[in-house]
Amino acid sequence: MADCIRVPLLLLSICIFSSLHPIRGQNNVIAKVAANADLPLKPAGGPGPAAGIPGAGASLPRRRSTGWKLAEEGVCREDLTRLCPKHSWNNNLAVLECLQDRKEETEIAAECNHLLWNYKLNLTTDPKFESVAVEVCKTTISEIKECAAEELGKGYLVSCLVDHRGNISDYQCNQYITKMTTIVFSDYRLICGFMDKCREDINTLRCGSISTGEKDVHSQGEVIACLEKALVREAEEQQGAHPIKDECKRSIMRVAELSSDDFHLDRYLYFSCREDRERFCEKTLAGEGRVYKCLFNHKFEEAMTERCREALTTRQKLIAQDYKVSYSLAKACKSDLRKYHCSADSNMPRAREARLSYLLLCLESAVHRGRVVIGECQGEMMDYRRMLMEDFSLSPEIVLHCRAEIEGHCSGLHRKGRTLHCLMRVGRGDAGAIDANCQRALQTLIQEADPGSDYRIDRALNEACESVIQTACKHIRSGDPMILSCLMEHLYTEKMVEDCEHRLLELQYFIARDWKLDPILYRKCQGDAARLCHTHRWNETSEVMPPGAIFSCLYRHAYRSVEQGRRLPGGESDAGNQGLTLSRDCKVEVQRILHQRALDVKLDPELQRQCMTDLGKWCSEKTEAGQELECLQDHLEDLVPGCRDVVGNLTELESEDIQIEALLMQACEPVIQTFCHEVADNQINTGDLMECLVQNKHQKEMNEKCSVGVTHFQLIQIKDFRFSYKFKTACKEDVLKLCPNIKKKVDVVICLSTTVRNDTLQDAKEQRVSIKCRKQLRVEEVEMSEDIRLEPELYDSCKQDINRLCQNVAFGNAQVIECLKENKRQLTQRCHQRIFKLQEVEMVDPELDYQLMRVCKHMIRRFCSESEGKNVLQCLKQNKNSELMDPKCKQMITKRQITQNTDYRLNPVLRKACKADIPKFCQPVLNKATADSELEGQVIACLKLKYADQRLSPDCEAQIQVILQESALDYRLDPQLQIQCTPEISRLCSEEAAAQEQTGQVEECLKVNLLKIKLDGCKKEVLNMLKESKADIFVDPVLHTACALDIKHQCAAIPPGRGRQMSCLMEALQDKRVRLQPECKKRLQDRLEMWSYAAKVAPAEGFSDLAMQVMTSPSKNYILTVIGGGVAVLFVMGLLCGRFTRRVTQQLKDRCHKIAESGGDQRGEKNHFLKVKLVAVSQSR
């Protein structure tokens, strides 16, 4: 047996039996042993009690018959009387225990010390009384096979019994072994083989003296402590550490193991911690490692002495190297270690199997796999996991690899796990760079301690988060793994405290890098992970697989399906990939963790690894929660390919499950509860929640944080159509077919909407864009119209104008777009062109006019619920003057009418009705026009004039009539009038303009003040108004209102249009038999005067204009009668003149005949004839 304790047993047995009171029926063997127990024993060749002690040897022979007592020795009598109670004097073992457990080493005389050591040496070197152990522990030896097989007479039996003392149930045998170990562990030289194996190391390390008497024998516990410290230094690879021989290492660990149940046996620790034991563990019974555990629990108390703390730390480090140094842990977990083969790995060195970390990993693996580990063992594991988290120095790898980080960042934070959390903070990158070996050592330690299974293991976290747990997580049982999840859910909320936030993120950083450290995730997903991600067992790791790779694999499968728009590898069909999806429980858990970890990019290992450079380049100033990911999304096009892919995938997941954006969900809680609670409660990866938030972004319940978050997500979505989940799922096939090389969402929307518009205009038999895509396309188009930033090309084109003209206007609700429209004449050319195109699209499809649809939302429901989307504006215009019309909506309708009248292209109904008339009558205007800029109403003005001339087609005439009627009530609807007459309106009609009453008062004012108008352009426009009013009385609202009753009585049978009703009223005015209303009569007379003046200052420009003036004149009958009379007079005169010319012609003919007959000069006659003929013709004319 390599390590042994030879305890030949005579005196021990006597002492033990004398201390066991009462012992009934002592047999003859025990009596015999007792009779010989007090004999002084001398080792062969060794010093006896009297050696070197005068008087001692002389006293021993006299007492052989009566029994030798330590109390009777003169060299120890004084010390015994002073230190030990009298009732113990007759018991040598009690005296020995009393003296060797003294408080101060100087209290006992040197001669007494030497006597005691020789006495103990005699006890441990004579094997002849081994039969006492056989007698006392007969039953126990037969039960322990290993001890029964030991050869007697060599002192190995007692050593075996000490090894198995945890299994000894017999009281007398247990007491015997306990007392035996107390004697042996008082001095390392009493342990068999220890001197021989460690002599060289002791001398090299100067740990103490080998020779008897060279050092106080009661300080020999310090020799063991010195060797133990040297062993720790070697394990930590400290500078200058002495390598201890393997056989000495085994002896040191053996001593520590054998002293594990009773702290009295660790003499150095016992003397170092006596006062602390009385202070902290006074009521703790010795034995089974209870005092050790008590002192460990109080190790970082302020009242703990530094010497005791140091001794405890050394003891803990030995436990970390060999779990058997902890009696309670080895005993409690013995059966489970055997059951789960935690010491049967033939590929692993024996030294590693003994490591505490290996034991913890092996048993934790069993627990996580759902195996049963007895509660007592789990309790012990919990204690030692907490111990590892409290003191980083217990992990040699941390001490070795993190020395620079500790010195540079974490010095002075040793207690209560603070140094470890400091290192974790450095590992997160919050306090500088960390060495890769240190990072791995930290990750390994976190796995060994497994704080994810019980937050109480992490004392620093427990203390920092106690208040949060008591308030936010009080409904969860203490120690439940869900506590950590609860804390993550309350991260960055008002219930979270700053210290808890830091400790939590530091721990979660490492948990996020090993999916096994989240016990709930591991329990629910271990089957899926093994099937889909090829994982190893819990206590095994892969050096090849990067941190976080398993969780990345799980969440990719959690959201994977063809229906959701994701491409499966290799073009596989969904039917063949049913086995590639996660189980329901696992999927829910993956989603929960994604929701929590999205709060911090450092909790996503793949994201941090791929984006480290980009984070430093673009986002170094973004330090608030959630800002780093937003920053990366904002710079998506600028990121390196690997980072861009990771950020893109995460953004794609967010579009599917917006609850991943935990901060956004917290900010939007009031809106969700009010408007989206049904969607939030029932959402299963459909993207409906974000759509609901977008739709309600401008509700009064919406707070600024939520609004900003929703808008940011919308801005991110425009970068890639895949980031819009519902759009992606609805239109993926259409995009691949119709827009295959387009990625940006805006471009995809334009591509698809253009396709839909073309198919509609060409009356295609079948739309190329699917119906589900068309529906979602409409949603996307409406959402994009809400904020100019969602249309990047428009925003970029107008950014300068926005800063100049709309800098105080908030984005959203299309307010900036509306501002640009109102300042259209001041825009730069590029922006003006974009705004014109936007207006052209909005007029064709009013549902894309966000401001109109928002302001007139209720009016649309009231008046236009049955109208198609493209006819909404037309419907609102028709109901504009209804008494039920909302004033704000009415104002918005007017704005849109003004816009439409600036250019016929902005009025799709007019454009369609006048398709043939415009090029026919207004081509000169079109020739002067430039692309993408308004014609300022010139085409419509042209059509108005042709309307007055009654030359338009019926459809076009009907539309121009509507425009004339509308603009007659509000001068702003006539662009040319507004452009030309704005100064005159300000000068002559300011009151009417300020009233803003759409009753035609401004127009009437201009007509009345026609003679006062100085600007020729304005005068011309007013004259055109007068001309147009002749064509239809509806174009003159003031006259129409004044004569409404007379029209009803005098012209009821006459249809409106083409000046018919106006002519009727003029005839009535000329007829003295008809009595018109005074106001009507006055207005008609004013109009006659205006028309007369207009005829003077604006004469007809041609015959056609003159004819039209006559035909449209109220006095056309009179004029036509005069013209007819003139024609008749001319006809009669023509008849009379014709008879006279006929006689002249006949005379000429006769004369010419005579000349021909006379044969005169032919040439002269011919010329004369022609002259006469010309004269005759001229006379006839």
Side-chain angles (χ1 to χ4, degrees):
M1 203 171 179
D3 296 321
C4 60
I5 303 175
R6 289 183 181 157
V7 194
L9 307 162
L10 178 60
L11 183 58
L12 271 178
S13 302
I14 296 171
C15 294
I16 291 170
F17 284 107
S18 66
S19 66
L20 301 178
H21 299 292
I23 300 177
R24 299 178 182 177
Q26 290 182 339
N27 55 31
N28 292 333
V29 175
I30 296 177
K32 181 178 180 181
V33 171
N36 294 299
D38 288 335
L39 295 177
L41 301 175
K42 296 181 181 181
I53 306 176
S59 63
L60 290 176
R62 295 196 303 269
R63 291 173 177 80
R64 285 187 180 181
S65 60
T66 59
W68 179 78
K69 302 292 185 185
L70 278 172
E72 297 175 359
E73 291 298 324
V75 292
C76 291
R77 187 176 295 114
E78 181 182 351
D79 296 315
L80 184 66
T81 305
R82 179 165 48 87
L83 297 173
C84 301
K86 192 172 182 179
H87 65 77
S88 65
W89 292 357
N90 293 325
N91 188 327
N92 283 346
L93 187 58
V95 171
L96 182 63
E97 195 169 14
C98 170
L99 292 178
Q100 72 178 14
D101 289 351
R102 74 215 177 286
K103 290 186 177 181
E104 297 294 337
E105 297 176 2
T106 57
E107 289 180 354
I108 300 177
E111 295 80 359
C112 183
N113 271 334
H114 194 62
L115 175 66
L116 292 175
W117 187 86
N118 279 281
Y119 171 61
K120 291 187 290 184
L121 187 60
N122 287 332
L123 292 176
T124 58
T125 55
D126 190 345
K128 72 177 184 177
F129 295 108
E130 195 175 55
S131 58
V132 177
V134 175
E135 188 68 30
V136 175
C137 298
K138 182 187 300 183
T139 306
T140 301
I141 293 171
S142 62
E143 293 174 352
I144 302 174
K145 297 179 180 179
E146 292 87 344
C147 297
E150 290 290 355
E151 184 179 354
L152 298 178
K154 294 186 178 182
Y156 294 159
L157 175 62
V158 175
S159 179
C160 178
L161 291 172
V162 171
D163 279 346
H164 295 84
R165 64 189 184 280
N167 298 326
I168 297 176
S169 57
D170 183 77
Y171 178 74
Q172 292 182 6
C173 183
N174 193 21
Q175 287 288 356
Y176 165 75
I177 295 300
T178 301
K179 296 298 181 182
M180 189 67 235
T181 52
T182 302
I183 295 173
V184 172
F185 279 88
S186 65
D187 196 324
Y188 74 93
R189 291 171 296 179
L190 304 179
I191 302 171
C192 169
F194 190 88
M195 267 195 308
D196 298 334
K197 294 171 183 175
C198 292
R199 183 189 307 272
E200 184 180 337
D201 294 299
I202 291 173
N203 286 330
T204 302
L205 294 166
R206 302 181 184 278
C207 286
S209 169
I210 299 294
S211 303
T212 303
E214 291 183 13
K215 191 172 182 179
D216 180 1
V217 293
H218 282 280
S219 69
Q220 289 299 308
E222 295 182 1
V223 177
I224 296 291
C226 175
L227 290 171
E228 290 174 345
K229 292 176 183 177
L231 185 61
V232 168
R233 287 196 300 272
E234 181 184 353
E236 296 173 355
E237 298 184 20
Q238 295 184 19
Q239 188 175 3
H242 168 71
I244 299 175
K245 293 188 299 184
D246 290 340
E247 57 181 9
C248 183
K249 285 181 184 178
R250 288 192 291 270
S251 296
I252 295 170
M253 298 305 295
R254 184 65 173 157
V255 169
E257 178 186 344
L258 295 174
S259 62
S260 61
D261 67 333
D262 191 344
F263 93 111
H264 291 90
L265 306 183
D266 188 333
R267 304 306 295 170
Y268 178 77
L269 187 144
Y270 169 74
F271 285 114
S272 299
C273 296
R274 276 187 306 182
E275 294 178 0
D276 298 286
R277 189 267 170 94
E278 293 174 4
R279 184 181 299 113
F280 298 111
C281 309
E282 182 181 2
K283 297 181 180 180
T284 304
L285 298 177
E288 298 188 351
R290 286 187 289 266
V291 176
Y292 283 127
K293 289 184 64 176
C294 175
L295 291 172
F296 289 159
N297 291 335
H298 293 87
K299 175 180 170 181
F300 291 113
E301 298 289 341
E302 295 294 335
M304 175 71 72
T305 62
E306 195 60 39
R307 187 182 180 196
C308 180
R309 186 180 292 118
E310 182 184 350
L312 291 171
T313 300
T314 301
R315 185 83 190 178
Q316 289 176 319
K317 290 180 178 180
L318 294 176
I319 294 173
Q321 293 192 41
D322 190 340
Y323 72 90
K324 288 180 288 186
V325 176
S326 170
Y327 176 83
S328 56
L329 178 64
K331 178 183 177 183
C333 298
K334 184 175 181 180
S335 60
D336 290 306
L337 289 170
R338 187 183 303 111
K339 181 178 180 181
Y340 298 115
H341 310 289
C342 293
S343 299
D345 192 345
S346 59
N347 296 323
M348 191 173 295
R350 180 67 185 85
R352 183 176 173 185
E353 289 185 2
R355 289 284 297 270
L356 176 64
S357 58
Y358 179 72
L359 172 141
L360 292 175
L361 289 174
C362 181
L363 293 179
E364 285 167 10
S365 175
V367 172
H368 286 295
R369 294 199 310 270
R371 307 293 191 268
V372 177
V373 175
I374 60 175
E376 186 179 359
C377 179
Q378 290 199 46
E380 290 294 328
M381 290 169 60
M382 175 90 168
D383 290 338
Y384 284 97
R385 285 155 57 194
R386 185 187 293 115
M387 180 184 77
L388 291 174
M389 287 294 293
E390 281 187 355
D391 192 346
F392 77 95
S393 66
L394 304 184
S395 174
E397 293 80 8
I398 298 289
V399 176
L400 172 62
H401 298 301
C402 299
R403 188 174 291 120
E405 286 77 6
I406 293 171
E407 293 175 356
H409 303 285
C410 308
S411 58
L413 300 173
H414 185 73
R415 298 180 177 179
K416 300 182 181 179
R418 293 171 186 162
T419 301
L420 185 59
H421 266 276
C422 174
L423 289 172
M424 292 160 69
R425 184 167 66 253
V426 176
R428 268 177 54 88
D430 295 341
I434 189 171
D435 181 74
N437 291 326
C438 179
Q439 182 89 356
R440 283 193 292 269
L442 284 170
Q443 190 69 48
T444 301
L445 178 60
I446 299 299
Q447 184 180 8
E448 293 167 1
D450 193 18
S453 61
D454 191 335
Y455 72 97
R456 295 172 298 180
I457 291 171
D458 190 341
R459 184 171 179 176
L461 176 70
N462 189 15
E463 292 180 355
C465 297
E466 185 176 2
S467 61
V468 183
I469 294 171
Q470 292 302 321
T471 54
C473 311
K474 59 184 178 182
H475 59 288
I476 304 176
R477 177 179 58 83
S478 179
D480 194 295
M482 285 302 294
I483 290 286
L484 278 182
S485 178
C486 174
L487 290 174
M488 287 296 294
E489 289 171 0
H490 289 85
L491 198 62
Y492 305 120
T493 65
E494 57 184 11
K495 293 183 179 180
M496 180 59 64
V497 296
E498 184 178 3
D499 196 27
C500 177
E501 176 185 311
H502 293 324
R503 302 295 85 76
L504 182 60
L505 288 175
E506 289 157 8
L507 177 61
Q508 284 290 344
Y509 176 83
F510 288 89
I511 291 178
R513 276 146 182 78
D514 189 346
W515 75 289
K516 302 187 298 294
L517 299 183
D518 189 316
I520 303 173
L521 174 68
Y522 184 80
R523 185 173 68 250
K524 293 186 177 181
C525 294
Q526 56 180 319
D528 295 296
R531 176 169 52 89
L532 300 171
C533 308
H534 313 291
T535 57
H536 300 80
R537 289 186 297 177
W538 192 91
N539 56 333
E540 294 179 357
T541 56
S542 172
E543 298 295 335
V544 179
M545 193 168 291
I550 300 301
F551 185 73
S552 296
C553 169
L554 289 173
Y555 80 62
R556 282 195 297 271
H557 285 88
Y559 292 88
R560 185 183 200 172
S561 74
V562 171
E563 286 76 8
Q564 293 167 348
R566 282 184 178 77
R567 298 175 183 149
L568 299 181
E572 301 168 13
S573 67
D574 186 52
N577 283 279
Q578 294 297 328
L580 295 179
T581 57
L582 299 185
S583 61
R584 183 179 180 278
D585 288 346
C586 180
K587 185 174 181 179
V588 169
E589 191 60 26
V590 169
Q591 290 173 338
R592 173 187 70 83
I593 293 175
L594 271 177
H595 297 169
Q596 294 174 356
R597 293 183 184 173
L599 297 171
D600 191 330
V601 295
K602 293 176 181 176
L603 298 184
D604 188 330
E606 186 178 8
L607 178 65
Q608 189 186 29
R609 185 174 65 254
Q610 296 285 358
C611 298
M612 186 65 69
T613 303
D614 289 303
L615 282 169
K617 183 176 181 181
W618 305 108
C619 312
S620 58
E621 297 180 358
K622 304 295 184 180
T623 57
E624 297 295 325
Q627 286 186 344
E628 288 179 312
L629 179 57
E630 290 182 0
C631 172
L632 291 174
Q633 291 171 331
D634 290 338
H635 293 86
L636 187 65
E637 296 87 352
D638 304 319
L639 305 180
V640 298
C643 180
R644 189 188 309 128
D645 291 342
V646 174
V647 175
N649 289 335
L650 183 58
T651 307
E652 189 175 352
L653 292 181
E654 287 180 351
S655 72
E656 181 174 349
D657 184 4
I658 193 58
Q659 294 188 34
I660 292 175
E661 281 275 11
L663 288 176
L664 180 61
M665 293 298 97
Q666 293 173 12
C668 296
E669 184 65 22
V671 184
I672 293 174
Q673 292 300 322
T674 305
F675 300 102
C676 310
H677 62 277
E678 293 183 0
V679 178
D681 294 341
N682 300 325
Q683 186 186 24
I684 307 177
N685 303 331
T686 60
D688 289 335
L689 182 55
M690 176 50 74
E691 188 174 287
C692 176
L693 288 173
V694 171
Q695 292 171 353
N696 294 279
K697 190 168 70 170
H698 299 288
Q699 298 289 349
K700 60 182 181 180
E701 290 82 0
M702 176 68 70
N703 56 67
E704 184 180 0
K705 284 186 177 180
C706 180
S707 178
V708 169
V710 173
T711 301
H712 175 266
F713 197 78
Q714 288 180 284
L715 294 174
I716 297 306
Q717 285 182 327
I718 66 176
K719 296 177 183 292
D720 194 322
F721 80 95
R722 295 178 299 122
F723 297 166
S724 179
Y725 173 72
K726 298 196 76 173
F727 182 55
K728 177 188 65 178
T729 53
C731 297
K732 182 191 174 185
E733 294 179 0
D734 300 274
V735 172
L736 293 175
K737 180 175 65 175
L738 301 170
C739 316
N741 298 319
I742 302 177
K743 185 176 182 182
K744 288 186 177 181
K745 180 182 174 183
V746 177
D747 297 335
V748 171
V749 170
I750 292 173
C751 171
L752 293 176
S753 59
T754 302
T755 304
V756 173
R757 191 172 293 114
N758 291 340
D759 288 348
T760 303
L761 293 175
Q762 296 171 10
D763 296 325
K765 293 182 179 180
E766 184 177 350
Q767 288 275 359
R768 286 176 288 174
V769 180
S770 63
I771 185 170
K772 66 177 182 179
C773 181
R774 293 202 301 272
K775 290 180 179 179
Q776 190 60 35
L777 184 62
R778 172 44 52 97
V779 174
E780 300 299 332
E781 289 176 323
V782 171
E783 287 184 5
M784 288 168 57
S785 67
E786 182 266 338
D787 193 323
I788 191 172
R789 293 172 297 178
L790 300 180
E791 299 190 48
E793 291 188 4
L794 175 62
Y795 182 57
D796 292 340
S797 300
C798 296
K799 190 175 293 185
Q800 179 181 345
D801 299 278
I802 294 171
N803 295 332
R804 180 167 53 90
L805 302 170
C806 310
Q807 57 182 347
N808 297 322
V809 180
F811 291 101
N813 263 341
Q815 295 178 93
V816 173
I817 295 177
E818 196 66 23
C819 171
L820 293 173
K821 290 177 181 177
E822 292 173 356
N823 294 278
K824 188 166 52 177
R825 289 190 176 89
Q826 303 176 49
L827 300 179
T828 58
Q829 182 179 2
R830 185 182 175 200
C831 180
H832 192 282
Q833 291 175 352
R834 291 286 180 183
I835 291 295
F836 179 80
K837 284 185 176 181
L838 174 66
Q839 289 179 318
E840 191 174 0
V841 171
E842 289 178 347
M843 293 304 175
V844 173
D845 192 349
E847 286 186 327
L848 301 181
D849 188 341
Y850 191 88
Q851 275 280 4
L852 176 70
M853 300 303 291
R854 184 184 69 85
V855 174
C856 296
K857 181 178 180 180
H858 300 295
M859 295 301 100
I860 292 173
R861 290 178 181 174
R862 173 173 291 174
F863 296 111
C864 310
S865 58
E866 297 181 359
S867 299
E868 294 183 21
K870 63 181 181 180
N871 298 325
V872 167
L873 180 57
Q874 196 72 14
C875 169
L876 289 172
K877 286 160 61 176
Q878 293 170 359
N879 294 277
K880 172 183 171 182
N881 296 316
S882 170
E883 295 180 355
L884 300 176
M885 177 60 68
D886 176 64
K888 291 183 178 179
C889 179
K890 185 175 182 179
Q891 185 179 4
M892 182 58 64
I893 296 170
T894 301
K895 286 184 178 181
R896 296 300 178 260
Q897 287 179 298
I898 294 171
T899 300
Q900 282 190 327
N901 289 347
T902 59
D903 196 305
Y904 77 98
R905 290 169 292 184
L906 300 181
N907 190 333
V909 178
L910 174 67
R911 188 175 185 177
K912 182 179 181 181
C914 300
K915 184 177 182 181
D917 300 85
I918 291 173
K920 180 179 179 181
F921 299 112
C922 309
Q923 190 62 45
V925 178
L926 297 179
N927 292 338
K928 298 178 183 178
T930 57
D932 303 325
S933 61
E934 289 89 345
L935 298 172
E936 299 297 348
Q938 294 180 56
V939 171
I940 295 178
C942 168
L943 293 174
K944 286 180 181 179
L945 292 175
K946 301 307 174 186
Y947 172 82
D949 294 342
Q950 300 180 4
R951 299 175 65 184
L952 299 178
S953 62
D955 290 342
C956 184
E957 184 177 289
Q959 291 302 317
I960 291 296
Q961 182 178 349
V962 171
I963 292 174
L964 285 169
Q965 291 173 1
E966 292 171 348
S967 59
L969 293 171
D970 190 342
Y971 77 97
R972 295 172 299 174
L973 301 184
D974 189 334
Q976 284 296 312
L977 179 66
Q978 188 176 17
I979 292 171
Q980 302 293 342
C981 296
T982 297
E984 300 292 357
I985 292 173
S986 300
R987 184 171 64 86
L988 301 172
C989 311
S990 56
E991 294 183 4
E992 289 82 353
Q996 293 188 347
E997 295 180 359
Q998 298 177 9
T999 55
Q1001 293 302 317
V1002 174
E1003 289 88 338
E1004 185 66 17
C1005 171
L1006 290 173
K1007 292 174 184 177
V1008 172
N1009 293 282
L1010 179 60
L1011 298 175
K1012 299 179 182 180
I1013 295 176
K1014 299 178 181 180
L1015 298 175
D1016 293 338
C1018 180
K1019 187 177 290 186
K1020 182 179 180 181
E1021 290 301 321
V1022 175
L1023 290 174
N1024 287 337
M1025 278 199 301
L1026 290 171
K1027 180 180 179 181
E1028 293 159 4
S1029 65
K1030 291 181 182 180
D1032 200 325
I1033 194 171
F1034 288 98
V1035 179
D1036 193 338
V1038 175
L1039 180 62
H1040 183 265
T1041 302
C1043 298
L1045 188 60
D1046 295 298
I1047 293 173
K1048 183 177 180 181
H1049 290 158
Q1050 306 299 330
C1051 310
I1054 298 176
R1058 296 184 177 273
R1060 288 185 287 264
Q1061 289 187 340
M1062 183 68 76
S1063 299
C1064 173
L1065 288 174
M1066 287 301 176
E1067 289 176 359
L1069 179 64
Q1070 298 296 331
D1071 193 344
K1072 296 182 179 180
R1073 295 172 298 175
V1074 178
R1075 298 184 62 182
L1076 299 175
Q1077 296 292 323
E1079 181 67 19
C1080 178
K1081 186 175 182 179
K1082 181 179 181 301
R1083 295 290 181 185
L1084 285 172
Q1085 291 172 345
D1086 291 341
R1087 294 298 181 269
L1088 285 173
E1089 293 177 2
M1090 292 177 187
W1091 292 333
S1092 176
Y1093 176 76
K1096 292 178 182 178
V1097 299
E1101 296 178 355
F1103 180 79
S1104 59
D1105 194 15
L1106 176 63
M1108 187 57 61
Q1109 285 187 9
V1110 171
M1111 293 305 295
T1112 59
S1113 172
S1115 304
K1116 75 173 182 178
N1117 292 336
Y1118 172 75
I1119 296 172
L1120 289 175
T1121 302
V1122 173
I1123 293 174
V1127 171
V1129 170
L1130 289 174
F1131 180 72
V1132 172
M1133 291 178 65
L1135 289 175
L1136 294 175
C1137 291
R1139 293 177 64 84
F1140 172 76
T1141 56
R1142 191 180 304 118
R1143 283 199 304 269
V1144 173
T1145 303
Q1146 186 62 42
Q1147 290 175 354
L1148 287 173
K1149 286 181 180 181
D1150 293 341
R1151 190 174 176 180
C1152 289
H1153 182 69
K1154 289 178 179 180
I1155 292 172
E1157 289 180 351
S1158 64
D1161 185 58
Q1162 185 176 3
R1163 185 175 179 183
E1165 288 295 332
K1166 185 176 181 181
N1167 291 335
H1168 179 73
F1169 173 79
L1170 290 174
K1171 291 180 181 179
V1172 173
K1173 187 174 182 181
L1174 288 173
V1175 171
V1177 171
S1178 63
Q1179 288 178 354
S1180 67
R1181 287 182 179 177

